[in-house]
Amino acid sequence: MNRIILFFCFAWWLQFSELFAQEKPALLLDFNYGIGLPLQDLSERFGNHLVLGAGATYQPARNWINFGARFSYFFGSQVDENVLKPFQTSYEGLLIGSDQYLSELKLRERGYFMQLYCGGLVSIGSQEKARQSIKLQLGAGFIQHHIRFVDDARALNQFTTEYLQGLDRLSNGFAIIPFIGYEYISRKNWLSFYSGIDPVFGFTKNQRKLNYDTNQSEYGINRNDFLINFKMGIYLPFYLGNTGEEIEY
């Protein structure tokens, strides 16, 4: 029985160690794109969004641990919290501009999160032509979001930058950002990529001392701004050192 257990442990180790047969460390630059869904408090303010991001991961030689940094920008066109309601006319919710004509001030979602992370890889499939892995990461960082105002006609001069700050619901705070997905690193200078699920658990606070539309303060009130992103990224791998595989760009 002990021999059987040892045999399976050895077989598992061989499979697991395939992943770590990288002779030299690598720097992986990535550019990613995705779509996201708001959850908890964030879903009461915004709808679905798109995500653009970039980052860098350092993968040590013969080691399953990796670490890096990433910045992501998210944006959307659906804002469910109408902060302009007290100022709108009864005609299609338009506003009266400085030229006394009706004009529209569009609401948009804007935000970003950045993180430092570490993670690990579990090899799957053949490792001959590419390093295929299940990618697991855990990051910690910062998230911020707000309502952006778009005045295409530039007719609403009464909504100055200072005044809009009392309407934009700026919120930010600490974020925990795990990731699970699939990673494909080509050994032949071909396409290298990853895809997966990127939840963001943001524990934020409103940073404006007074909301002008409600004449109430939400300053310092805790928020659970959660979102889940589904994304795909492309890698530019750079192998470091003088031995092992050569990948040049």
Side-chain angles (χ1 to χ4, degrees):
M1 185 65 178
N2 290 336
R3 292 182 179 181
I4 295 176
I5 295 175
L6 288 175
F7 171 78
F8 279 107
C9 288
F10 181 69
W12 175 85
W13 180 83
L14 284 177
Q15 169 68 13
F16 198 59
S17 62
E18 278 188 272
L19 178 64
F20 313 141
Q22 177 180 297
E23 289 81 4
K24 34 182 193 173
L27 178 65
L28 306 174
L29 303 183
D30 79 82
F31 304 91
N32 56 80
Y33 175 82
I35 60 175
L37 306 173
L39 303 171
Q40 295 291 314
D41 294 337
L42 195 66
S43 66
E44 297 178 3
R45 180 169 296 168
F46 300 121
N48 299 343
H49 57 264
L50 300 176
V51 186
L52 292 173
T57 300
Y58 177 72
Q59 176 68 55
R62 300 183 180 277
N63 196 329
W64 73 283
I65 295 292
N66 57 66
F67 52 89
R70 184 175 292 119
F71 177 89
S72 299
Y73 176 74
F74 62 96
F75 54 96
S77 59
Q78 180 181 339
V79 179
D80 296 327
E81 190 171 347
N82 186 7
V83 298
L84 296 176
K85 188 175 181 179
F87 315 102
Q88 293 173 329
T89 66
S90 58
Y91 181 73
E92 297 186 356
L94 297 177
L95 305 171
I96 299 176
S98 56
D99 55 4
Q100 301 305 308
Y101 287 98
L102 293 177
S103 186
E104 182 181 16
L105 190 60
K106 298 176 183 177
L107 305 183
R108 297 290 184 262
E109 174 191 14
R110 295 294 184 268
Y112 69 87
F113 55 92
M114 51 188 176
Q115 59 174 307
L116 297 175
Y117 58 82
C118 64
L121 304 170
V122 179
S123 63
I124 58 173
S126 172
Q127 303 291 307
E128 181 180 354
K129 295 183 179 180
R131 192 185 70 190
Q132 301 184 72
S133 315
I134 296 296
K135 186 181 184 71
L136 303 169
Q137 289 181 341
L138 180 63
F142 179 84
I143 182 173
Q144 177 169 295
H145 60 82
H146 69 281
I147 298 173
R148 181 173 182 265
F149 302 90
V150 181
D151 179 13
D152 291 330
R154 298 186 178 182
L156 298 167
N157 298 328
Q158 68 270 35
F159 288 94
T160 62
T161 299
E162 181 179 355
Y163 193 82
L164 290 177
Q165 289 178 354
L167 301 172
D168 67 4
R169 302 295 198 267
L170 177 69
S171 301
N172 57 41
F174 175 73
I176 298 174
I177 309 170
F179 176 86
I180 181 170
Y182 169 77
E183 180 178 272
Y184 181 98
I185 305 294
S186 172
R187 300 187 186 279
K188 303 295 183 180
N189 269 356
W190 296 340
L191 180 65
S192 298
F193 65 92
Y194 71 94
S195 62
I197 301 175
D198 193 31
V200 180
F201 302 97
F203 304 96
T204 69
K205 294 182 179 181
N206 191 304
Q207 301 300 315
R208 301 306 189 192
K209 294 186 177 180
L210 182 65
N211 294 334
Y212 293 163
D213 57 311
T214 63
N215 201 31
Q216 295 179 349
S217 176
E218 298 179 7
Y219 180 70
I221 295 179
N222 294 327
R223 295 176 52 86
N224 292 324
D225 289 322
F226 300 166
L227 50 147
I228 183 168
N229 302 313
F230 305 88
K231 66 182 184 181
M232 175 174 285
I234 297 176
Y235 278 130
L236 292 178
F238 295 89
Y239 288 88
L240 310 175
N242 298 318
T243 61
E245 298 175 318
E246 294 293 337
I247 297 183
E248 298 180 358
Y249 291 93

